[in-house]
Amino acid sequence: MAELTNFTDDNSQKTISELRCKAEFTGKVHSELIFLSVLNTFLSITAFLENTLILVALHKMTSLHPPSKLLFRNLAVTDLFVGITAEPLYVVYWMSEVRERWDVCFYAQVSGLSASYILGSVSFLTMTTISVDRLLALSMGLRYRQVVTFKRTRITITGFWICSIVYASSQFLNPVITAWYQYIGTALCLFITFFAYTKIFFIHNRIHVQTSTFQRQLNQAIPLNIARYRKAVYSALWVQVILVVCYLPMAIVLALTPQRGIPTSTYLAGQFTITLVFLHSSLNPLLYCWKIREVRQAVKETLRGLRCSSN
């Protein structure tokens, strides 16, 4: 969603936001924009409620290593903020186009884009760190808890937020820097994630063969720990897969967007892919409940408590 400079038919330069907030650009897609507004209002509510429950569930969990819990908690926080900031801002942006409120349109679009930049960047960086965290847990053994500490993880996450805010702010200084940061950062995160899970796969297979060979001589706690670790890796991998599925269509649309003028069909396709990105914030909590038994149990207990208090 890089805010690049684009050329109009008369060769004058305008930002993408300025081009979008015009009646001749969006006048033919009002019904589609209304549909997107209604859909994202619903997704905004579900993202807020679901991620609030996940944060409560993570607070109750004691089996997860504190640094790992902090990473998942940060991911839930970014999804929560998508529901209460980015999605409502885009709803305002789309409805301002329908109602032809161009003064509101521009500021809502820029604000929504900035929020998406920050939250999307933090989410990507956190997901990459989760994959590295799983690799370190497998490869470092007992040294893992000495190296990966709560304090170091908190400093890392703070750095993610600072870098993401700087990244989002760069669009007002030089949009080209924002675009290059986006392309290079995304490619680097995907490469690190792919490398981490590939390494995990080979290490895990080697350990599995060794423990199967010596299972009769070794204590049964080792196979059980490996089985628990395997579940944690699969859960993190599923989160990564859903992330790629939700973000890939937007990357494809961006790559195919022409530099001279933006066809209405391309613009509309871009808005639907943005909605798919927002959907990711509502899917993550469902994935936690599906793949992480402790989270699922904590959510059930929280809902049970709310139901009892209402009665």
Side-chain angles (χ1 to χ4, degrees):
M1 292 186 296
E3 189 70 350
L4 299 175
T5 300
N6 199 280
F7 290 89
T8 59
D9 293 334
D10 59 358
N11 290 327
S12 61
Q13 288 185 316
K14 292 181 179 294
T15 64
I16 300 297
S17 294
E18 292 172 332
L19 287 172
R20 288 173 177 173
C21 294
K22 286 185 175 296
E24 58 268 26
F25 188 71
T26 60
K28 298 179 180 179
V29 293
H30 282 184
S31 58
E32 290 86 350
L33 294 178
I34 293 174
F35 170 76
L36 288 173
S37 299
V38 173
L39 177 59
N40 279 270
T41 299
F42 172 75
L43 293 178
S44 175
I45 296 172
T46 57
F48 170 74
L49 294 177
E50 290 173 3
N51 285 286
T52 299
L53 280 174
I54 292 300
L55 288 172
V56 173
L58 289 173
H59 178 73
K60 293 180 178 180
M61 283 183 61
T62 57
S63 60
L64 197 61
H65 186 42
S68 299
K69 182 193 291 189
L70 183 60
L71 289 172
F72 278 103
R73 184 179 294 172
N74 187 60
L75 199 57
V77 168
T78 59
D79 289 334
L80 176 66
F81 274 97
V82 167
I84 63 178
T85 58
E87 287 185 281
L89 284 169
Y90 264 88
V91 169
V92 173
Y93 159 57
W94 288 322
M95 291 308 299
S96 65
E97 288 184 318
V98 172
R99 297 180 178 275
E100 299 187 358
R101 294 290 305 273
W102 308 124
D103 53 338
V104 177
C105 175
F106 177 78
Y107 292 106
Q109 204 273 338
V110 171
S111 300
L113 192 65
S114 299
S116 300
Y117 278 150
I118 295 172
L119 299 173
S121 176
V122 173
S123 181
F124 249 103
L125 291 170
T126 303
M127 301 281 276
T128 304
T129 306
I130 289 175
S131 66
V132 175
D133 175 70
R134 294 298 86 202
L135 175 60
L136 294 177
L138 181 62
S139 60
M140 299 186 70
L142 296 176
R143 293 182 57 244
Y144 166 72
R145 291 180 178 269
Q146 299 175 350
V147 175
V148 182
T149 63
F150 185 84
K151 181 179 180 180
R152 289 174 178 172
T153 305
R154 184 171 58 187
I155 293 174
T156 300
I157 290 176
T158 302
F160 288 166
W161 282 95
I162 293 174
C163 290
S164 298
I165 292 173
V166 172
Y167 155 60
S169 302
S170 66
Q171 65 175 310
F172 302 108
L173 300 176
N174 190 338
V176 176
I177 296 177
T178 309
W180 278 108
Y181 179 98
Q182 186 178 35
Y183 299 144
I184 296 175
T186 301
L188 187 60
C189 285
L190 290 176
F191 173 78
I192 293 173
T193 300
F194 177 79
F195 173 81
Y197 281 109
T198 302
K199 191 76 172 177
I200 287 171
F201 175 78
F202 286 110
I203 295 176
H204 180 271
N205 280 352
R206 187 179 70 245
I207 294 177
H208 179 71
V209 171
Q210 292 173 350
T211 54
S212 297
T213 304
F214 297 101
Q215 185 171 357
R216 293 181 180 180
Q217 289 80 19
L218 297 177
N219 189 288
Q220 289 296 320
I222 294 178
L224 289 176
N225 287 337
I226 292 176
R228 177 179 294 181
Y229 175 81
R230 186 191 300 121
K231 291 181 179 179
V233 170
Y234 286 162
S235 299
L237 183 57
W238 267 104
V239 173
Q240 300 281 354
V241 169
I242 295 299
L243 177 75
V244 172
V245 169
C246 290
Y247 276 79
L248 184 59
M250 184 182 68
I252 294 174
V253 171
L254 281 175
L256 297 177
T257 300
Q259 289 298 313
R260 285 185 171 272
I262 303 177
T264 302
S265 58
T266 303
Y267 162 76
L268 193 59
Q271 303 314 293
F272 274 98
T273 60
I274 290 173
T275 300
L276 186 59
V277 169
F278 290 154
L279 175 63
H280 176 257
S281 297
S282 297
L283 291 179
N284 265 347
L286 300 178
L287 195 58
Y288 299 153
C289 292
W290 175 38
K291 301 300 295 183
I292 306 177
R293 182 178 59 83
E294 293 86 351
V295 172
R296 181 169 63 250
Q297 186 62 33
V299 168
K300 287 181 179 179
E301 292 176 359
T302 303
L303 292 175
R304 193 179 299 116
L306 292 174
R307 185 171 57 184
C308 292
S309 62
S310 63
N311 294 335

